[in-house]
Amino acid sequence: MPIVIIGSGTMGSGIAEVLLACGGSAVLVDPDAAARERAQTRIAKNLARSFEKGRIVEQPEDCLARLDMSDTPPVDGVEWVIEAVPEDVALKQRLFGELDARYPETVWLASNTSSIAIGRLQSCTRHPERVGGLHFFNPVPRMQLVEIIRGLETSEDYLAAARTLTKRLGKIGVIVPDRPGFLVNRVARSYYLEALRMVDEGQAPMELVDEVMEGAGFPMGPFRVMDLVGVDVNLSVTRSVYEQTYYDERYRPHPWQEELVERGYWGRKSGRGFYRYE
Ligand code: NAD
């Protein structure tokens, strides 16, 4: 049964790639034709590289044959719908209302949101028990963890199905609470914000902060991670956690993040973030 993925950006295309690589079928839905085309090219390139490196044994063309691209979600023969549209509460709420009306209650609906409470999406549906979070991390093919978010009304059956799905994708699914930032993004706020404050206060240059944190065993320093994730994406997660914690000072976004985002310095994807890229 194909899995329907709504939104063909960084995360949607990554989830589709993993699904295809492990023998599954995907329908990638995006109203933006250019985004669909970029996603298809990216997935084809990545699968070809995985094949060359021996990470998959199936021919990339055979994997790609199980991918459909569409501007509307198909209805028949669907077991899972995974939403990966931009981090915008109103957009996601509207979408979950539409998906709930479109699909029978036996179809599981998941959001890949980084920080929006699943309860806020459940509140727009008639069947909140089949709604939960499946929070994949970037880059999806490489990151093992998936946070399975249990909203107030998420059923045990949903959680069991989510565990089965994450296992099938070769991931480690861990159930986490429906609190702002869930688990990883909540704890990681301090990692980024404290580093921003230290450098901004002139206590250390950012290169040193990255170097030292990597030396201490973190796979990537905070500035390098922000550039990888997207300075804009990271800022929107910080803002969302800040707002949802009723403006807890610990999560207040840093002006430096705002400045870079306004200037279009969004990290690797735009050629410049905290660092410059070729
Ligand atoms: P993105 O901007 O790369 O992609 C979003 C895609 O959604 C775009 O292609 C856009 O055309 C499409 N879209 C917009 N409205 C749509 C609609 N109504 N129906 C279908 N498609 C629509 O975003 P992303 O980085 O892939 O993030 C997607 C979600 O995943 C967000 O909630 C984000 O917080 C979360 N997330 C992102 C990361 C990351 O590192 N980028 C990591 C984990 C989770």
Side-chain angles (χ1 to χ4, degrees):
M1 260 189 203
I3 290 186
V4 175
I5 301 163
I6 317 273
S8 67
T10 310
M11 297 308 289
S13 65
I15 297 166
E17 182 190 324
V18 168
L19 192 58
L20 299 175
C22 65
S25 311
V27 183
L28 205 40
V29 180
D30 202 307
D32 181 345
R36 292 200 301 271
E37 212 173 303
R38 280 196 301 274
Q40 194 151 18
T41 309
R42 193 164 49 235
I43 294 171
K45 199 172 129 206
N46 291 350
L47 286 173
R49 194 174 329 123
S50 296
F51 182 74
E52 271 166 31
K53 297 205 162 172
R55 287 196 290 256
I56 58 171
V57 289
E58 195 181 10
Q59 291 289 338
E61 309 82 71
D62 296 340
C63 297
L64 278 173
R66 294 191 299 273
L67 174 66
D68 274 328
M69 309 294 288
S70 176
D71 58 0
T72 36
V75 179
D76 294 331
V78 174
E79 188 187 0
W80 275 98
V81 179
I82 304 176
E83 167 276 312
V85 304
E87 192 77 344
D88 172 329
V89 181
L91 171 65
K92 289 192 195 268
Q93 286 186 322
R94 196 176 61 237
L95 192 59
F96 270 83
E98 288 166 11
L99 293 173
D100 184 57
R102 194 176 184 86
Y103 288 100
E105 58 188 280
T106 48
V107 176
W108 307 116
L109 305 181
S111 175
N112 186 51
T113 174
S114 307
S115 63
I116 295 167
I118 295 303
R120 297 175 81 182
L121 306 179
Q122 288 181 315
S123 68
C124 302
T125 66
R126 286 168 304 134
H127 297 291
E129 67 287 349
R130 48 91 165 250
V131 177
L134 275 183
H135 183 208
F136 291 82
F137 290 80
N138 184 18
V140 185
R142 259 198 283 141
M143 300 297 277
Q144 283 272 284
L145 181 71
V146 179
E147 289 183 319
I148 300 173
I149 300 135
R150 182 208 297 261
L152 187 63
E153 291 146 308
T154 306
S155 69
E156 289 301 323
D157 287 348
Y158 173 97
L159 298 175
R163 276 185 194 279
T164 304
L165 176 64
T166 48
K167 205 164 164 189
R168 194 178 127 209
L169 296 176
K171 304 287 181 199
I172 299 166
V174 177
I175 297 173
V176 299
D178 191 20
R179 284 290 173 267
F182 312 122
L183 199 154
V184 172
N185 273 332
R186 164 97 168 256
V187 174
R189 279 320 90 198
S190 320
Y191 189 56
Y192 307 121
L193 288 168
E194 212 43 60
L196 285 158
R197 286 184 206 114
M198 270 199 91
V199 175
D200 196 46
E201 288 162 9
Q203 292 161 16
M206 67 180 179
E207 294 82 0
L208 182 69
V209 173
D210 277 345
E211 192 188 321
V212 169
M213 296 312 289
E214 286 163 18
F218 287 79
M220 280 176 100
F223 294 97
R224 280 199 254 277
V225 182
M226 286 188 277
D227 274 1
L228 176 73
V229 168
V231 184
D232 55 330
V233 173
N234 194 276
L235 173 62
S236 71
V237 174
T238 309
R239 275 203 194 118
S240 171
V241 174
Y242 184 53
E243 286 163 16
Q244 290 183 83
T245 53
Y246 301 99
Y247 307 99
D248 185 328
E249 278 303 305
R250 289 178 297 174
Y251 309 116
R252 181 201 280 272
H254 196 281
W256 192 6
Q257 295 174 288
E258 308 264 3
E259 190 186 6
L260 291 191
V261 170
E262 271 173 24
R263 300 278 287 276
Y265 298 159
W266 295 350
R268 281 171 185 264
K269 63 186 170 190
S270 64
R272 182 168 173 182
F274 292 97
Y275 295 97
R276 285 170 190 264
Y277 301 87
E278 288 307 316

